[in-house]
Amino acid sequence: DAASNGMPTESRRFFLQSGFDDQKTRITMSPESGRMPLIDALKGVAAQIILLHHLVSYGPLAESLGRQFPLTTGVLFDYGRMVVQVFLVIAGFLAAKALAPELRPRPANPFVLIWKRYLRLAPAFIAAMALAVAAAAIARQWPASDAVPAAPTLLQFLAHALMLHGVVDVPSLSAGVWYVAIELQLYALFVILLTLGSTTGSLIAVPLLVGAAGLASLFFFNRDPGWDAWAIYFFGSYSLGAMAWWASRQRAFGVWMGCILIAGTLALMLAFRERILIALTVAMVLAAAARGGWLWRWPDSRLLGWLGRVSYSVFLIHFPVCLIANGVYERF
């Protein structure tokens, strides 16, 4: 399929390895192909929930919706952001599938992998940030709203272009854009762990390193919001996705699933977090789906498939549109 579309197999792997990646090519739904309807469905629904979360969080439209639908908007405001865990788990799941499908990492230069990951994410991200700046400039011409960002500085835009805005703590140009920078950090950390594990020559080294980093995140770093600008804060969810893929490929599937469940349960017993419960649930579902083969067959829905394919675009573009809509609403 990769050859028939004029895309080298190695490039195809890079194209498929993120939870947000879009594919515009029709692919046969089979384990050998890239299209996974269940992942499309999860991404599509999660992206819509995040969109709704932001719609009820910013500006006069949010205030109006809150007055008319207080219960619905309250639930979306409090819990909608947690579905980002779906993308974290899927990103880890697909990274493991692409880079170390059978626990043994494919030979590759880690710096090249990370650079190509940046190039995969950056063009659309930078274009969306430019559009967000333009939308904010238009919205500022109408009555002021707290939802409209101030005019950015060159340093602020450069920090976003390099995906360092969270690390250097500059104001965000758009809602939710912290995730794209964190996804790049997570991928880089995962690649580094795979590289270190591969130097030992032992198959068990890779899951041990990834698992140890994931446990450190779940039991320590994820409990401290001061780490939320760094990958290690989110790596517990990412590692659950990676472990889910690896579990689906092992003969001792039940043992792997038991370890995933025990680790997640102990983390929740130590400090209950709804976001970790969501991540654990998604990881278990993906592992079972990959093991049973229905990851590539269900659900058979064109709408959910389309929503999944455009989820990254929706994620990047919805807030600038929301700014304009709020400005029009407030003005007229």
Side-chain angles (χ1 to χ4, degrees), residues 93-266:
F93 184 86
L94 294 180
K97 176 180 179 292
L99 300 180
E102 304 296 339
L103 291 179
R104 190 181 299 280
R106 293 188 169 115
N109 185 316
F111 299 105
V112 171
L113 285 175
I114 295 167
W115 175 242
K116 289 191 175 185
R117 187 79 205 113
Y118 171 79
L119 292 179
R120 177 70 185 100
L121 294 171
F125 179 74
I126 293 172
M129 293 307 96
L131 188 57
V133 169
I138 294 171
R140 283 194 295 272
Q141 305 307 310
W142 292 315
S145 169
D146 292 340
V148 181
T153 64
L154 179 61
L155 179 62
Q156 184 181 357
F157 192 86
L158 181 62
H160 280 74
L162 296 175
M163 299 189 189
L164 295 173
H165 44 284
V167 173
V168 299
D169 196 26
V170 299
S172 289
L173 296 177
S174 187
V177 296
W178 62 268
Y179 176 84
V180 183
I182 287 295
E183 201 274 346
L184 181 62
Q185 282 191 41
L186 287 166
Y187 184 81
L189 176 56
F190 186 69
V191 167
I192 291 169
L193 292 173
L194 292 186
T195 302
L196 291 175
S198 67
T199 61
T200 68
S202 171
L203 280 179
I204 199 64
V206 166
L208 281 179
L209 282 173
V210 173
L215 290 174
S217 175
L218 290 172
F219 284 86
F220 177 73
F221 294 103
N222 188 257
R223 297 168 57 204
D224 182 0
W227 289 94
D228 67 0
W230 299 94
I232 193 63
Y233 180 83
F234 301 94
F235 196 74
S237 300
Y238 195 90
S239 67
L240 286 173
M243 291 295 177
W245 170 257
W246 288 329
S248 72
R249 309 296 288 180
Q250 306 305 311
R251 290 183 178 179
F253 175 69
V255 174
W256 279 73
M257 290 290 277
C259 291
I260 294 171
L261 183 58
I262 290 170
T265 301
L266 289 176

Side-chain angles (χ1 to χ4, degrees), residues 29 55-56 87 89 100-101 131 155 167 213 220 236 260 264 293 313 326:
M29 295 179 185
L55 279 177
V56 303
F87 292 107
V89 174
L131 188 57
L155 179 62
V167 173
F220 177 73
I260 294 171
S313 305
N326 270 286

Side-chain angles (χ1 to χ4, degrees), residues 9 20 37 51 66 68 85 105 139 143 153 161 190 216 226 253 256 291 331:
T9 302
F20 267 142
L51 183 155
Q68 296 183 57
Q85 298 295 320
T153 64
F190 186 69
F253 175 69
W256 279 73
R291 183 71 170 190
R331 171 64 180 82

Side-chain angles (χ1 to χ4, degrees), residues 59-71 73-74 329:
L61 276 175
E63 296 172 6
S64 179
L65 286 167
R67 289 191 296 269
Q68 296 183 57
F69 309 102
L71 179 60
T73 55
Y329 178 84

